[in-house]
Amino acid sequence: MAPEADGSELENEIGYRLKASNGKMQSGQETHSSEGDEEDEEEEEDEEPRLKYASLTKHLKPVYRNGGATSSFLVGGDKMVRGTMVIGTHDGNIHVLSLPSLSSIKVYHAHSASVSAVSISPFPPPLPSPKSNANTRLVSAQQSSPAPSFAGTSKGSNPGRSPKPPPVPVTNSNQIYIATSSIDGNVCVASLIDPKDVMLRNFGRPVHGVALSPEYKSDHSYLSGGLAGNLILTVGGRSGTSSTSNAGAGAAAAASGWLGAFGLGSNTGKDTILHSGEGAIRTIQWSLSGNYVVWVNEKGIKLMRSNLHLETNEPESAWKRISHIDHPNRAVWEEMAGVWKPHAKWVDETGLETEDLDTSQVNGLQKAPSHPSNIIGAPLPKSTARRTRSEKLVAGWGDTIWIINVLPGGATSGKDAGKIARVEILTILRTDCIVSGVSLYTPSLLIVLAYITPEESASSPQSTPTRGRHRRQNALQPEIRLIDVETKEEVSVADTLNVSRYESLSATDYHLEVLPAMQITQKAAAARGAFEIIGGGIWDVGMYPARLFSSAASVQSNGSHSAESSSRVPSDLHVALPVPGSDQTVHPSALTHGMKIFIQSPYDCVLATKPTLADHFNWLDTHAMYEEAWNLLDQHPEAVGDNSEASTESTPSTPTRAPAKEQGTLMDFFLDNKSQTTVSGSGRRNLNSHVEKEKRRIGELWIQQLTKHKNWGKAGATCGKVLTTGDHWEHWVWVFAQADRFEEITPHIPSTQLQPPLPSIVYEMVLGYYVSNDRNRLKGLLERWSTELFDAGPVIEAIQGRLQVGDISEDTIEDGEVGRDWRILMECLAKLYLADGRPAQALGCYIRLQDADAAMRLIGEYHLVDAISDNIPDFILLRVSKEQQRSAPMPELEQVSREAIRLLVAEAHHGIVRPESVIKQLDTRYGIPNPYLFFYFRALWEGETISAPPGGPTDVENTSRARKQTLIDERLVSTEGKALVSDHADTALLLFAEYDRPLLMRFLKMSQTYTLDFASRICKQRNYIPELVYLLSKEGRMTEALRLIINEIGDVRQAIAFAKEQDDQSLWDDLLNYSMYKPSFIRGLLEEVGTSIDPVKLVRKIPEGLAVEGLKGGLMRMIREYEIQHSISEGVARVLRGEVAAAMADKGKGLNKGIKFEIGETNKDPIMMHNPRTGRPRQVKKGQCPGCEKAFLPEDAELLISFPCQHVYHLPCLLSFEGKELEDIPASLMNLEWQSEYDRSIGPKIDHAALLRNQLNRGCPLEKSDAG
């Protein structure tokens, strides 16, 4: 779009006439019926307000004192709550107030007529520094004592009668310049902190607009314009002087200005006309970056590049016009363009409100956007920002609104190539009102201060008074509208403002100013808290506003309001202190961190802010939107207001909410600052806290609303979400039960204990309902609900009663499944029995259900083996299905019943479940024989019992000991089991004969308690010949047994083995006689008999002429057997003879060899021997007695006895090894005397040796111990 585009043509393309907020439509549009209007009004009333309002009028009493009326208004702030409010009045007074305290900083009389415009430099005011904050607190402390109060007055005041107040504190935020223009033709520029730094300049014609350079402190320049139609740049001027504009004064003025720059002239400043000739100028605004200037005259909106922040290569761009936007091309505009006051606002997009209410704040602070430059403390470099950022301008004029984007630098190609900046008109909106103020509220919403005239006036623009006549006796109350930029429609019902004397006010009497929203990172808010992050005395603002702002002042003027006085410098600037008794406390709405919208009329000031979470909650509560209200409290507990812990007796207080259009009660509503977000110091949930009580109240209302509308499903889910106490739960469960809505409430009933607890009868009632109606749900509830929540007894009775009715059994079919409900009821019954302390009954249920795992677990935990003694068959069948009972093979039946069988065997060993009981019950159900009884007897016989528990010794020695003990225990169990089986031997014999024949033979051989006749009969019935042979042999009927072997079995080897086993010659004879006519037996006898019978006798027994196949081979084998046997016998005899001869030779050598007695010497190498009496080992050395361990000495009187092993003993010591006392030794051995010392006779020696041999017949004790 070309910069010089005609605004009227663009409006014709995209303009859209908005619907009036009061329901009236533009002419030519179809009107609705009265019924439709009423419905629309009802819908509009139910719409939540987007803004909340508070009157600040009573906080601005000094402004309105003595009937004063405001004529201009400006608010500047730093996004950190602090700000400055400048108000100009029709009396020419300027009031400077501090935000958020709204306390007066300075009041001075600057003009003799109405103030038309206000400007501040720098804008917004600078941030306060910590040092300046300290100075401020120091000054405030010094000024805390009572002081005389001087209110800013209009004409007629006499400041000389009042003491001079202290000056304004020198802080960063106070170091600003304020420029004001007036219809008296003067522009006044004054420093806030230096009363001497004031300049007054007269332009000869009414001035309607003034804009200070953002760098006025250094360049002393400003722009102004008015009815003369000239846009004038004023540079320079001397402080404390009054001068007249020299615009158009020619070379003299230029020279004076040039000489004044060197101190050689009067230095009255230089005026330069930048633009003229297009009618009166009503608005001038410098952009936030200082790069651009916008002004509006009767022809349209103008944009130019300023002289600030120019690059080195573009000095010629200073004060060059960028774009012109014509006003709409309509007849009414030609007449009213000079009457309607235009409004232009450069928008700080980082300070806009967010779209959502609930999630846009962190601890009461607005979340920062993702761009780091929008976060406090992280700005982009100025040069980068100035060159890369676009700036947005919102202009409202008459009934039209423009949204304009100004982008730095021109396009690289095309018609915009090389231009200073590009201007894009984003949106043009046409309204049905006169725009008295406009700004961006959110990135997509416009906030408009609408001036409304009656229908007859609004429908005919020509009826608007002509220029110069400003009376509006028939005006309506002004409205605040929020308009969507994209859809160009109002997003909510317009809010009507109650202001004083609105009937007589015109569109130019209203002003709208905006302080941007404060933004802060969520991380910083969580780490430090809101007040600490804001810093710079914000805590003092909230807690000690009087101390912090006690230095605020005002100035009174005693000058005349004549033309003469208007040309004089207003030197009588005084600082005003707070008026005693006045309300100087900080307004809570001004402390909010969102965007603050100030609406000013001549007699009122209204503050609009975004509703807080508490406001949103109250609106939802009032409009019965309980679901949204509860969810809001759940996500944002701070929405309830004061969430401090309250005692159980205290009544929770909630903020009151006044109607949106009743300004009298709005103040009270906004004074409730409890809705501000606070950082909770405890994460614990207190059910008696104000928040929880409020949640319960809202939750109850929500449930009532749902049940009233028969929305039972959602009501049940809501109960599970909002109810937290037992008494509330009890009430609502009974409500659902009375309505027969168990299905809706049951899934949400608490499964954990509440405080106070939910009565058990509630759970019992619900469970009883599902016992009769839905067994699947009953099972699920018992799995989810702890049995500690209810009494199991009533539920057990209900289930038993349901089973006794008979319509539910193991054979009934539910949903195609046989016995489903029966199994569910039995499982529930078992669980309830356990909860009721009756594990035996629970075990019976699990046995009937064939739930082996549960049954075994119960038996192990509660030692319930004796409980199964009355139901052994079902216990054995725990893991055996009905199909397996009918058709499963024996190995499968054995596998599935093994665990139960082994447990019964173990308990039989313990004497708890006797075999008699098992036999009786299994016989009663299945008869004998049956496989389960066989499994039982076989396990008893073989000692198969439950496995030993895992674990045990870990070291090798303990493990070995444990293994030995296990083997011993197994042997004992096996032996005991065989004894138990022997008590029922005939039954065992019948079972073994039926199912395990190999085990039968082992049983017949090992047991002695069965009846032989019964065993023989069983074996004959089953034709068990080997078993029958054994039984016949056991009865002594050898011949009959041998005959069975020969005739029935026909096994000659078995017959021979049987004969060898019996070792009876007559049996051999019978074998020979029975075999003589059987050639195969004859051959077998020849080959196998060996040397058991006489071979000659065998050969002679063979009948002559009998053809015996293999006879020759049999004879040869028999002969070879005899030869081998003979050869072996001869070899053995030779070996024996050789060994005997060698042993005799060794013995002879030993007998012939003398024995050496070592006396008086001991060998150093000891040997180990064991004392036969004590079993303790001890060391023995040669040359000493092993018994007394004393060395042999020549003078020993004791007899010494030596063995071939060369061990020598004292005779008493040797005898003691044999365990004999000395008195038991024959006296002939002890008193043996020799005939002479050198007697060589052999007789006494032989007698002596014989006596010793009789007493010591076991050899050397030491050798015996080593051998052992």
Side-chain angles (χ1 to χ4, degrees):
M1 179 181 298
E4 303 294 333
D6 187 357
S8 60
E9 295 179 1
L10 181 61
E11 180 192 18
N12 292 333
E13 292 183 15
I14 63 175
Y16 188 89
R17 182 174 294 277
L18 299 176
K19 183 182 73 174
S21 61
N22 56 7
K24 301 184 294 292
M25 301 299 293
Q26 295 295 327
S27 59
Q29 295 180 344
E30 182 181 358
T31 59
H32 296 284
S33 64
S34 59
E35 295 180 359
D37 293 340
E38 292 178 358
E39 293 178 358
D40 292 341
E41 290 178 1
E42 291 179 359
E43 292 179 358
E44 291 175 353
E45 289 178 358
D46 290 336
E47 185 177 356
E48 182 176 6
R50 292 294 189 99
L51 295 170
K52 68 176 181 178
Y53 301 89
S55 175
L56 303 181
T57 304
K58 72 175 184 178
H59 292 262
L60 302 176
K61 292 179 181 179
V63 177
Y64 300 109
R65 183 176 289 112
N66 299 325
T70 61
S71 60
S72 60
F73 181 65
L74 180 65
V75 173
D78 52 20
K79 298 187 187 177
M80 299 187 69
V81 179
R82 288 178 179 272
T84 302
M85 177 187 292
V86 182
I87 301 175
T89 68
H90 286 289
D91 296 333
N93 294 330
I94 307 300
H95 296 262
V96 184
L97 299 97
S98 174
L99 293 176
S101 67
L102 295 177
S103 59
S104 179
I105 299 177
K106 179 183 283 190
V107 177
Y108 59 94
H109 185 72
H111 301 279
S112 60
S114 299
V115 178
S116 58
V118 178
S119 178
I120 296 175
S121 177
F123 186 85
L127 293 173
S129 66
K131 182 177 180 181
S132 64
N133 289 337
N135 295 334
T136 302
R137 287 192 292 269
L138 180 59
V139 172
S140 300
Q142 294 173 353
Q143 298 172 0
S144 60
S145 60
S149 173
F150 295 88
T153 60
S154 60
K155 59 183 179 179
S157 61
N158 187 5
R161 298 180 181 178
S162 302
K164 186 177 180 180
V168 176
V170 180
T171 64
N172 282 354
S173 58
N174 288 340
Q175 292 181 1
I176 61 174
Y177 288 87
I178 301 173
T180 56
S181 63
S182 173
I183 61 176
D184 63 3
N186 291 331
V187 172
C188 178
V189 181
S191 170
L192 181 60
I193 60 176
D194 186 0
K196 297 181 180 180
D197 191 0
V198 181
M199 288 190 298
L200 187 69
R201 196 171 191 85
N202 185 274
F203 290 88
R205 295 287 301 276
V207 180
H208 292 291
V210 65
L212 287 177
S213 167
E215 299 180 2
Y216 178 84
K217 186 176 182 180
S218 59
D219 61 17
H220 288 79
S221 63
Y222 61 88
L223 297 171
S224 62
L227 290 181
N230 298 326
L231 178 65
I232 300 174
L233 170 64
T234 301
V235 181
R238 190 169 58 186
S239 298
T241 62
S242 175
S243 60
T244 302
S245 172
N246 54 28
S256 175
W258 178 78
L259 292 174
F262 291 94
L264 301 178
S266 60
N267 192 19
T268 59
K270 177 183 178 181
D271 295 327
T272 304
I273 299 177
L274 301 179
H275 183 269
S276 64
E278 292 186 353
I281 297 175
R282 304 296 299 273
T283 297
I284 307 172
Q285 291 289 336
W286 221 296
S287 70
L288 298 178
S289 66
N291 293 347
Y292 311 104
V293 175
V294 62
W295 77 96
V296 183
N297 56 27
E298 295 181 14
K299 297 299 182 180
I301 303 171
K302 317 291 182 179
L303 286 161
M304 71 165 46
R305 180 68 167 88
S306 73
N307 65 338
L308 299 180
H309 314 138
L310 293 172
E311 299 294 336
T312 56
N313 59 348
E314 53 180 14
E316 68 281 358
S317 299
W319 308 117
K320 282 192 175 181
R321 195 173 69 172
I322 299 172
S323 177
H324 165 71
I325 302 173
D326 288 336
H327 62 65
N329 187 15
R330 297 196 300 272
V332 65
W333 274 89
E334 295 298 331
E335 182 178 354
M336 299 299 297
V339 177
W340 289 331
K341 181 178 180 178
H343 304 273
K345 296 292 181 185
W346 293 95
V347 178
D348 181 2
E349 296 185 76
T350 66
L352 299 179
E353 281 286 2
T354 54
E355 302 290 345
D356 299 329
L357 173 68
D358 297 340
T359 60
S360 63
Q361 296 182 354
V362 179
N363 290 336
L365 308 181
Q366 184 161 308
K367 290 182 182 177
S370 58
H371 198 287
S373 64
N374 297 330
I375 302 174
I376 295 175
L380 283 177
K382 291 184 178 180
S383 59
T384 304
R386 293 164 183 162
R387 299 299 298 171
T388 60
R389 290 186 187 177
S390 63
E391 297 197 65
K392 185 166 290 186
L393 174 68
V394 178
W397 189 12
D399 60 356
T400 306
I401 300 172
W402 292 264
I403 301 178
I404 303 167
N405 233 13
V406 181
L407 292 84
T412 56
S413 61
K415 61 181 180 180
D416 293 334
K419 292 197 173 185
I420 302 171
R422 291 182 293 118
V423 176
E424 295 180 355
I425 301 178
L426 302 179
T427 304
I428 297 180
L429 301 176
R430 183 179 176 186
T431 68
D432 61 345
C433 64
I434 304 301
V435 178
S436 293
V438 66
S439 182
L440 268 181
Y441 179 61
T442 72
S444 61
L445 291 180
L446 278 171
I447 182 167
V448 178
L449 176 57
Y451 177 79
I452 308 297
T453 56
E455 294 186 13
E456 60 270 19
S457 297
S459 60
S460 58
Q462 290 79 4
S463 63
T464 305
T466 59
R467 182 180 304 178
R469 298 177 61 188
H470 299 281
R471 293 193 304 272
R472 290 292 181 270
Q473 300 296 337
N474 56 351
L476 300 179
Q477 291 173 291
E479 293 180 350
I480 291 293
R481 300 179 180 180
L482 292 176
I483 302 174
D484 190 292
V485 175
E486 298 295 332
T487 62
K488 304 176 179 63
E489 294 181 353
E490 294 183 33
V491 297
S492 62
V493 179
D495 297 328
T496 303
L497 302 176
N498 275 338
V499 295
S500 302
R501 312 176 204 177
Y502 63 86
E503 300 90 347
S504 61
L505 300 180
S506 66
T508 59
D509 292 325
Y510 296 100
H511 308 275
L512 184 143
E513 290 292 334
V514 171
L515 272 183
M518 177 180 177
Q519 296 178 346
I520 196 162
T521 59
Q522 185 173 4
K523 179 179 180 182
R528 298 173 54 192
F531 285 108
E532 184 181 356
I533 293 172
I534 295 171
I538 298 303
W539 182 259
D540 288 339
V541 171
M543 297 299 294
Y544 311 105
R547 184 184 73 185
L548 183 62
F549 296 104
S550 61
S551 61
S554 64
V555 175
Q556 354 180 27
S557 174
N558 61 353
S560 164
H561 292 278
S562 62
E564 184 178 272
S565 66
S566 65
S567 62
R568 237 183 10 249
V569 178
S571 58
D572 50 344
L573 302 179
H574 302 282
V575 179
L577 294 177
V579 178
S582 63
D583 186 5
Q584 293 293 339
T585 59
V586 180
H587 194 281
S589 296
L591 280 175
T592 59
H593 302 93
M595 177 182 287
K596 287 169 281 295
I597 304 155
F598 295 87
I599 302 100
Q600 184 82 25
S601 75
Y603 313 106
D604 294 282
C605 183
V606 178
L607 172 62
T609 56
K610 184 176 183 178
T612 63
L613 291 174
D615 302 323
H616 183 47
F617 168 74
N618 291 329
W619 187 89
L620 294 174
D621 186 11
T622 305
H623 290 76
M625 302 175 69
Y626 302 119
E627 179 179 3
E628 294 82 356
W630 192 92
N631 290 330
L632 178 64
L633 282 184
D634 188 51
Q635 297 175 9
H636 301 279
E638 64 272 16
V640 77
D642 184 10
N643 64 350
S644 60
E645 299 300 329
S647 62
T648 56
E649 295 82 3
S650 63
T651 303
S653 60
T654 55
T656 59
R657 181 182 184 275
K661 299 183 181 181
E662 295 182 7
Q663 296 296 328
T665 57
L666 272 176
M667 193 60 192
D668 297 333
F669 174 54
F670 279 93
L671 282 174
D672 183 8
N673 60 355
K674 296 177 181 178
S675 61
Q676 296 298 321
T677 303
T678 59
V679 180
S680 176
S682 174
R684 296 176 296 178
R685 183 181 182 185
N686 185 354
L687 294 179
N688 293 323
S689 68
H690 182 45
V691 175
E692 292 300 325
K693 289 180 179 179
E694 193 69 6
K695 287 179 68 176
R696 286 197 294 271
R697 181 185 70 82
I698 295 297
E700 294 269 351
L701 294 173
W702 183 10
I703 299 171
Q704 289 178 7
Q705 186 182 65
L706 292 173
T707 54
K708 180 179 179 180
H709 292 87
K710 307 302 180 183
N711 192 351
W712 295 99
K714 189 172 183 179
T718 303
C719 288
K721 182 186 295 186
V722 307
L723 299 181
T724 56
T725 59
D727 51 352
H728 290 84
W729 264 110
E730 181 182 10
H731 167 73
W732 284 109
V733 171
W734 284 113
V735 170
F736 277 76
Q738 291 172 0
D740 196 23
R741 293 290 180 173
F742 287 90
E743 294 293 336
E744 287 80 2
I745 190 63
T746 300
H748 310 288
I749 295 177
S751 58
T752 56
Q753 196 66 268
L754 299 176
Q755 292 297 332
L758 181 60
S760 62
I761 190 174
V762 174
Y763 296 97
E764 296 160 13
M765 174 191 65
V766 175
L767 292 173
Y769 171 83
Y770 287 109
V771 168
S772 302
N773 295 277
D774 190 344
R775 266 68 64 179
N776 276 327
R777 177 63 65 86
L778 173 68
K779 179 181 179 182
L781 291 178
L782 288 178
E783 290 175 353
R784 188 167 66 92
W785 290 350
S786 171
T787 53
E788 297 178 356
L789 298 174
F790 56 89
D791 183 6
V795 187
I796 291 175
E797 293 177 1
I799 295 177
Q800 289 175 339
R802 193 75 182 90
L803 291 173
Q804 290 173 1
V805 172
D807 59 338
I808 297 177
S809 65
E810 298 179 63
D811 301 323
T812 55
I813 300 175
E814 294 85 16
D815 295 337
E817 186 177 351
V818 179
R820 185 199 67 183
D821 284 357
W822 178 85
R823 286 196 304 275
I824 291 175
L825 289 179
M826 290 300 294
E827 290 175 359
C828 296
L829 195 60
K831 185 174 182 178
L832 292 170
Y833 275 136
L834 284 176
D836 202 34
R838 293 186 276 176
Q841 287 84 342
L843 177 62
C845 294
Y846 285 130
I847 290 176
R848 292 189 63 186
L849 288 167
Q850 291 186 306
D851 190 344
D853 295 333
M856 291 300 179
R857 185 182 67 253
L858 282 184
I859 292 172
E861 290 180 2
Y862 296 96
H863 308 288
L864 298 176
V865 178
D866 56 339
I868 65 174
S869 58
D870 297 332
N871 196 10
I872 292 174
D874 289 335
F875 177 69
I876 293 176
L877 297 177
L878 272 175
R879 298 189 187 275
V880 185
S881 65
K882 293 183 179 180
E883 181 66 25
Q884 288 175 321
Q885 294 178 38
R886 289 191 295 266
S887 59
M890 287 290 292
E892 184 177 348
L893 286 178
E894 179 185 5
Q895 180 67 29
V896 294
S897 63
R898 177 176 298 171
E899 185 179 10
I901 292 295
R902 289 187 174 184
L903 181 60
L904 290 174
V905 169
E907 299 310 321
H909 287 291
H910 297 155
I912 298 176
V913 182
R914 300 296 301 173
E916 293 82 0
S917 179
V918 178
I919 295 170
K920 181 179 179 180
Q921 294 186 43
L922 290 177
D923 184 19
T924 302
R925 178 172 293 192
Y926 301 109
I928 298 177
N930 65 75
Y932 308 108
L933 190 58
F934 160 69
F935 298 148
Y936 177 72
F937 269 93
R938 186 178 64 178
L940 272 177
W941 179 262
E942 296 183 350
E944 296 180 2
T945 182
I946 55 176
S947 303
T954 55
D955 56 280
V956 177
E957 183 178 353
N958 290 342
T959 303
S960 176
R961 186 181 301 110
R963 288 176 180 174
K964 291 179 181 179
Q965 186 63 39
T966 301
L967 292 175
I968 295 173
D969 293 342
E970 290 177 354
R971 291 172 185 173
L972 291 175
V973 169
S974 178
T975 302
E976 187 178 355
K978 289 178 173 60
L980 292 173
V981 172
S982 298
D983 296 339
H984 309 277
D986 290 344
T987 302
L989 187 146
L990 178 60
L991 293 170
F992 297 160
E994 180 69 24
Y995 298 107
D996 194 345
R997 187 174 176 183
L999 180 59
L1000 173 64
M1001 178 59 77
R1002 296 200 305 272
F1003 176 74
L1004 291 175
K1005 291 181 179 180
M1006 297 180 66
S1007 178
Q1008 304 295 329
T1009 58
Y1010 56 85
T1011 306
L1012 290 175
D1013 292 341
F1014 178 76
S1016 299
R1017 185 171 63 255
I1018 294 299
C1019 292
K1020 286 180 181 179
Q1021 290 175 357
R1022 289 168 172 74
N1023 197 29
Y1024 291 170
I1025 301 304
E1027 291 80 359
L1028 192 56
V1029 167
Y1030 173 77
L1031 291 173
L1032 291 175
S1033 63
K1034 191 171 184 179
E1035 294 178 6
R1037 298 157 65 181
M1038 305 299 180
T1039 303
E1040 187 177 352
L1042 183 61
R1043 188 182 298 114
L1044 283 175
I1045 295 173
I1046 296 173
N1047 296 333
E1048 299 295 334
I1049 301 177
D1051 189 350
V1052 64
R1053 290 184 176 85
Q1054 185 176 352
I1056 294 172
F1058 180 73
K1060 287 181 179 180
E1061 182 180 353
Q1062 302 302 323
D1063 196 18
D1064 186 0
Q1065 187 61 41
S1066 60
L1067 199 59
W1068 282 109
D1069 294 339
D1070 293 340
L1071 178 58
L1072 290 176
N1073 293 332
Y1074 294 149
S1075 303
M1076 285 302 101
Y1077 296 97
K1078 295 183 177 181
S1080 60
F1081 268 68
I1082 294 174
R1083 180 183 174 184
L1085 286 172
L1086 292 175
E1087 294 177 352
E1088 301 294 337
V1089 73
T1091 59
S1092 299
I1093 59 176
D1094 187 0
V1096 176
K1097 184 177 180 181
L1098 175 59
V1099 172
R1100 287 178 178 176
K1101 283 281 188 179
I1102 299 174
E1104 294 182 4
L1106 181 64
V1108 179
E1109 184 178 357
L1111 178 62
K1112 180 178 178 181
L1115 290 173
M1116 292 178 64
R1117 182 173 178 178
M1118 184 178 65
I1119 293 171
R1120 188 164 54 252
E1121 287 283 342
Y1122 271 92
E1123 288 179 351
I1124 293 173
Q1125 187 66 29
H1126 181 69
S1127 175
I1128 292 173
S1129 298
E1130 286 184 349
V1132 170
R1134 283 196 299 270
V1135 170
L1136 288 176
R1137 284 196 296 270
E1139 290 181 353
V1140 169
M1144 292 298 292
D1146 290 342
K1147 185 176 181 180
K1149 290 180 180 180
L1151 293 175
N1152 294 331
K1153 184 179 180 181
I1155 298 175
K1156 180 180 179 182
F1157 286 77
E1158 296 181 356
I1159 298 175
E1161 296 180 4
T1162 58
N1163 196 308
K1164 294 182 180 180
D1165 297 329
I1167 59 175
M1168 298 299 297
M1169 67 169 291
H1170 293 268
N1171 191 328
R1173 291 186 176 183
T1174 63
R1176 293 193 298 264
R1178 59 183 178 180
Q1179 296 180 348
V1180 179
K1181 299 180 180 179
K1182 290 184 179 181
Q1184 69 180 15
C1185 174
C1188 63
E1189 300 182 2
K1190 294 181 180 180
F1192 299 120
L1193 301 176
E1195 60 272 14
D1196 281 342
E1198 300 290 343
L1199 291 178
L1200 301 179
I1201 305 299
S1202 178
F1203 291 93
C1205 59
Q1206 298 183 359
H1207 293 147
V1208 182
Y1209 298 83
H1210 293 111
L1211 178 59
C1213 296
L1214 179 61
L1215 294 176
S1216 66
F1217 272 105
E1218 295 295 330
K1220 296 181 179 181
E1221 301 298 335
L1222 292 178
E1223 56 269 15
D1224 297 333
I1225 301 174
S1228 59
L1229 181 60
M1230 298 299 297
N1231 300 325
L1232 184 64
E1233 296 181 0
W1234 305 101
Q1235 292 181 359
S1236 64
E1237 185 176 357
Y1238 302 103
D1239 189 359
R1240 295 180 177 271
S1241 60
I1242 195 66
K1245 295 180 180 180
I1246 294 175
D1247 295 338
H1248 187 268
L1251 289 173
L1252 286 176
R1253 185 180 299 110
N1254 292 333
Q1255 297 295 325
L1256 308 172
N1257 54 6
R1258 298 180 62 185
C1260 176
L1262 191 58
E1263 292 295 329
K1264 289 190 293 181
S1265 65
D1266 292 341

